[in-house]
Amino acid sequence: MLEVAPKSAAKPTSTAEETPKIASGGEINTQAQENDGFQLVIDALKLNGIDTIFGLPGIPITDLTRKLQRAGLRVISFRHEQNAGYAASIAGFMTQKPGICLTVSAPGFLNGLTALANATTNCFPMILISGSSEREIVDLQQGDYEEMDQLAIAKPLAKAAFRVLHAEDIGVGVARAIRAAVSGRPGGVYLDLPAKLFPQAIDAEVGRKSLIKVVDPAPRQIPAPDVVQRALDLLRHAKRPLIILGKGAAYAQADADIRALVEKTGIPYLPMAMAKGLLPDTHEQSASAARSYVLPEADVVMVIGARLNWLLSHGKGKTWGGNSAKQWGGQKFIQVDISPQEADSNVRIDAPVVGDIGSCVSAMLGAINATAGPWPAPSAEWLDAIAERKTKNVAKMAETLAKNPTPMNYHSALNVVRDIVKANPDAILVNEGANALDFTRSIVDMYKPRKRLDVGTWGVMGIGMGFSVAAAVVSGEQVIAIEGDSAFGFSGMECETICRYNLPVCVVILNNNGVYRGDEVNPTGGRDPSPLVFVKGARYEKLMEAFGGVGVLAMTPAELRNAMEEAIRSRAPTLINAVIDEKAGTESGRITSLNPSAKKKP
Ligand code: OXT
Ligand code: ADP
Ligand code: MG
């Protein structure tokens, strides 16, 4: 630990050179006589095990980024705050620690806010820390530099929002933000730190005592035994049971118990997109390839860490065997979730099991093991019917994947990605686009938990490079980003960030020259292109080359395979521009029916 000369009480410490240093690894400086807001923010974060910050510097947080780095934290600096925000949010999902995004005031804050709202929507723990302008001027609306009432704007989009005005409250502010982000249902938290806070001087001892190391930030929430029994009774007597695993189940890191529960009961399961790999997609109980059969046919469905939102057709309607769009299909539902309010949000939940998934699943296993006699296996009729559908769909898929058309299509390109992921099961797959998303989800099998990161609850474009950077930084593993060409455009400039930090990220753009397809024309014959198409034959690979990475143009599956294998061997930042048939996609991928014109009544 470095010694620091004492400073005079009145003088604010505002430059990087004057700042007392603290050792890395969570220790804080106990030698300094005086401290300031900068240092207390750093100490409070370190004390709580925060070791990485995603952000973008500028007034009033430039010095904070420098000082964070000097204090031993990893500061990953982006080209746009939205990408830093997405990075923070997915780091939170992967680690169960809140991911931190640090931005400047008003415009920087707003750029980060989309990611904060997305984190809240997806139940990812994240804290957006933004510097802000002078309160007195903001509140009188006198036109300060980057004036904005950020706290008020963040509140409706965050799980919680706090502002700290005095240095002695920094410890409480950081502690509250951490607890709010990770306890109960995780979410996005906003922490407003006005510029004036940072140079505020405070007696070192007073400052140290004001810090809080959060004890048990995400306490276990254990379900009551009768609730567990109710759920198991329902499941035990089901004729056609089904388990749905969502990204909450992946987040919970209860992988072994979840697998044990699925295997012990023998119940077929369906993983939501980001729960793929929680059990290997090749598991014989996976019903992914029979999705449209099992949803309407199941009689009891246990949903673990997933919401019955649009991605599950709200638990009713034709997908679930109802006669009309809103009609209930007759299933009974068990829902395992940390949020008690989630039950009955769309359909009746016959057995809500409220608690953290680790505790709930272990309680279920305990109760099953304590019951005399073996668990009744699902009927052979049910399992055979699923197996039949699966075999048919898998064979159909295999036939399509075996084709080698010119130009490539989604299938022939993704057949390569499927092999590469199989050979590299620890690699993390980031995925966005429409067709590029939906085909990847059904073609590329995942083998390990939390290896598939995608557009989530909102189907948001733009997560690609932010997620890739965070995944590489947090895990050290190879990242493979499968991107639609439109999707990539939302965060493509972060290729520079990937190169700057020399991250093992291999971006594959499935380039069909447009949004959904590249063959649309302006029906008026006017000079402007269709709103859905891009420059034809764009050379995206040159973007990575511009920053010292590797760029490859791949016209065939063989070229794509070689380039991906080399990227993984070298771990060099790589962008592969995989040119595919511009006519291969469909409007909005698998969700064409959500377009208003598709819903138009005759
Ligand atoms: O059972 P059936 O027979 O039905 O078959 C299913 C499975 O059984 C089968 N299957 C398998 N068969 C064999 N083997 C295996 N292993 C197997 N696994 C599955 O395959 C089918 C399908 O299975 P799936 O996928 O499980 O089932 P299904 O029915 O599709 O599931 C339903 C859903 C709803 C759960 C699923 O579709 C889903 O998760 N969808 C997510 C959709 C989504 O989020 N899309 C992204 C948003 S689209 C749109 O909004 C876009 N925008 C607008 C925009 C956005 N989003 N954001 C912002 C900030 N601004 C604007 C834009 C701009 S997309 C987009 C860009 C698009 O262009 P790009 O160039 O990027 O991309 P391209 O389209 O490639 O050009
Ligand atoms: P998916 O998109 O995969 O269907 P959702 O995001 O809709 O998943 O749902 C995730 C659910 O998981 C949320 O309802 C959330 O409350 C719940 N959840 C998140 N973490 C936990 C946890 N540790 N224990 C229990 N439930 C959790
Ligand atoms: Mg496209």
Side-chain angles (χ1 to χ4, degrees):
M1 193 166 294
L2 295 176
E3 302 235 358
V4 181
K7 288 192 218 81
S8 81
K11 197 175 148 218
T13 55
S14 58
T15 67
E17 287 63 39
E18 292 169 33
T19 311
K21 281 190 181 174
I22 62 173
S24 58
E27 293 167 51
I28 60 172
N29 191 356
T30 51
Q31 316 264 314
Q33 305 290 305
E34 189 188 283
N35 237 334
D36 63 9
F38 281 115
Q39 195 58 47
L40 281 180
V41 171
I42 295 166
D43 288 353
L45 292 171
K46 285 191 81 166
L47 190 62
N48 285 289
I50 304 293
D51 52 18
T52 307
I53 307 286
F54 303 94
L56 201 159
I59 298 170
I61 52 115
T62 314
D63 266 348
L64 184 60
T65 59
R66 289 194 185 105
K67 289 168 193 251
L68 282 160
Q69 191 171 56
R70 285 182 67 198
L73 284 92
R74 201 144 186 222
V75 182
I76 307 295
S77 187
F78 283 75
R79 303 301 294 261
H80 190 289
E81 291 88 348
Q82 190 176 104
N83 306 319
Y86 286 140
S89 71
I90 209 65
F93 170 77
M94 292 172 72
T95 63
Q96 295 185 326
K97 278 199 296 191
I100 310 288
C101 175
L102 181 61
T103 77
V104 303
S105 29
F109 156 78
L110 285 173
N111 285 345
L113 199 56
T114 308
L116 186 74
N118 189 61
T120 307
T121 301
N122 281 280
C123 316
F124 297 157
M126 163 186 173
I127 303 174
L128 174 65
I129 302 180
S130 293
S132 60
S133 304
E134 208 165 316
R135 286 257 37 93
E136 292 83 344
I137 304 182
V138 173
D139 288 348
L140 278 170
Q141 296 171 36
Q142 293 175 307
D144 200 4
Y145 168 72
E146 295 191 347
E147 175 180 297
M148 178 172 277
D149 187 359
Q150 296 169 194
L151 186 69
I153 289 165
K155 259 185 192 159
L157 300 173
K159 184 179 169 193
F162 307 101
R163 178 186 291 133
V164 180
L165 292 177
H166 304 291
E168 59 266 39
D169 292 330
I170 287 171
V172 169
V174 170
R176 297 213 71 189
I178 289 173
R179 207 176 265 292
V182 294
S183 62
R185 173 183 275 178
V189 175
Y190 176 59
L191 186 61
D192 192 272
L193 301 183
K196 266 190 176 174
L197 179 73
F198 296 114
Q200 265 182 37
I202 179 171
D203 174 80
E205 183 62 9
V206 173
R208 265 194 296 277
K209 285 188 174 154
S210 72
L211 297 183
I212 296 174
K213 182 167 169 52
V214 179
V215 176
D216 197 8
R220 292 170 65 203
Q221 292 182 218
I222 297 164
D226 58 321
V227 162
V228 171
Q229 214 48 65
R230 186 197 290 135
L232 289 179
D233 285 348
L234 205 53
L235 208 55
R236 189 178 281 113
H237 295 111
K239 291 198 169 57
R240 297 179 304 283
L242 175 70
I243 293 175
I244 295 180
L245 299 172
K247 60 171 141 25
Y251 174 78
Q253 298 194 14
D255 311 335
D257 275 357
I258 290 173
R259 184 169 185 155
L261 181 69
V262 170
E263 291 182 342
K264 182 123 205 159
T265 59
I267 297 174
Y269 73 94
L270 205 55
M272 301 300 286
M274 282 179 60
K276 274 167 71 78
L278 199 40
L279 285 83
D281 278 337
T282 46
H283 196 284
E284 64 163 349
Q285 285 171 254
S286 168
S288 285
R291 187 181 199 270
S292 58
Y293 173 73
V294 291
L295 291 180
E297 291 298 325
D299 63 346
V300 174
V301 181
M302 178 156 76
V303 184
I304 305 180
R307 286 166 286 186
L308 289 167
N309 58 14
W310 73 279
L311 288 158
L312 282 168
S313 307
H314 306 281
K316 55 194 167 193
K318 292 189 174 161
T319 307
W320 291 86
N323 286 330
S324 62
K326 291 226 155 191
Q327 206 181 48
W328 172 52
Q331 289 82 359
K332 292 208 180 306
F333 284 100
I334 301 162
Q335 186 159 33
V336 182
D337 205 289
I338 203 154
S339 164
Q341 281 165 284
E342 191 51 42
D344 306 327
S345 58
N346 285 274
V347 286
R348 184 179 66 224
I349 301 300
D350 302 276
V353 181
V354 175
D356 70 278
I357 285 167
S359 299
C360 293
V361 171
S362 120
M364 283 187 202
L365 276 172
I368 291 173
N369 289 335
T371 310
W375 178 268
S379 75
E381 200 188 352
W382 175 231
L383 299 183
D384 289 349
I386 295 172
E388 192 189 319
R389 295 317 188 280
K390 267 178 72 172
T391 310
K392 218 185 277 171
N393 269 347
V394 169
K396 207 165 76 188
M397 172 86 85
E399 200 180 302
T400 321
L401 292 178
K403 291 181 184 152
N404 190 3
T406 308
M408 280 192 286
N409 62 11
Y410 289 99
H411 288 86
S412 61
L414 287 168
N415 189 34
V416 173
V417 178
R418 176 184 161 102
D419 289 349
I420 300 275
V421 170
K422 187 174 181 185
N424 299 277
D426 286 317
I428 295 171
L429 185 84
V430 173
N431 188 202
E432 60 176 339
N435 296 280
L437 174 86
D438 293 341
F439 283 118
T440 305
R441 188 180 58 249
S442 55
I443 293 172
V444 179
D445 288 330
M446 305 306 299
Y447 299 87
K448 295 194 175 184
R450 294 170 294 284
K451 296 292 185 185
R452 186 189 152 87
L453 311 174
D454 71 21
V455 300
T457 307
W458 268 349
V460 68
M461 298 299 111
I463 48 90
M465 297 306 103
F467 276 18
S468 296
V469 169
V473 165
V474 163
S475 73
E477 299 288 355
Q478 175 70 44
V479 175
I480 298 171
I482 305 298
E483 299 276 311
D485 50 335
S486 163
F488 173 75
F490 287 72
S491 66
M493 194 62 197
E494 302 298 345
C495 282
E496 190 275 333
T497 311
I498 291 169
C499 289
R500 187 165 16 108
Y501 291 94
N502 194 23
L503 298 173
V505 176
C506 171
V507 182
V508 177
I509 299 183
L510 299 179
N511 183 4
N512 65 348
N513 295 338
V515 178
Y516 313 139
R517 291 168 71 97
D519 61 345
E520 257 194 40
V521 291
N522 178 343
T524 70
R527 63 177 177 177
D528 292 337
S530 152
L532 288 113
V533 302
F534 300 138
V535 167
K536 289 198 189 295
R539 302 294 300 271
Y540 291 103
E541 74 280 11
K542 301 222 177 266
L543 195 58
M544 201 63 106
E545 285 174 4
F547 305 114
V550 178
V552 181
L553 179 68
M555 306 298 290
T556 65
E559 287 169 2
L560 176 58
R561 192 180 298 273
N562 285 342
M564 288 190 79
E565 282 173 352
E566 177 54 23
I568 288 170
R569 195 201 54 71
S570 69
R571 287 174 62 90
T574 302
L575 193 157
I576 305 168
N577 184 3
V579 176
I580 61 164
D581 185 353
E582 63 176 15
K583 297 186 278 304
T586 57
E587 177 103 1
S588 308
R590 293 274 300 172
I591 55 172
T592 311
S593 61
L594 296 186
N595 284 300
S597 46
K599 290 183 173 173
K600 203 164 69 183
K601 301 261 171 355

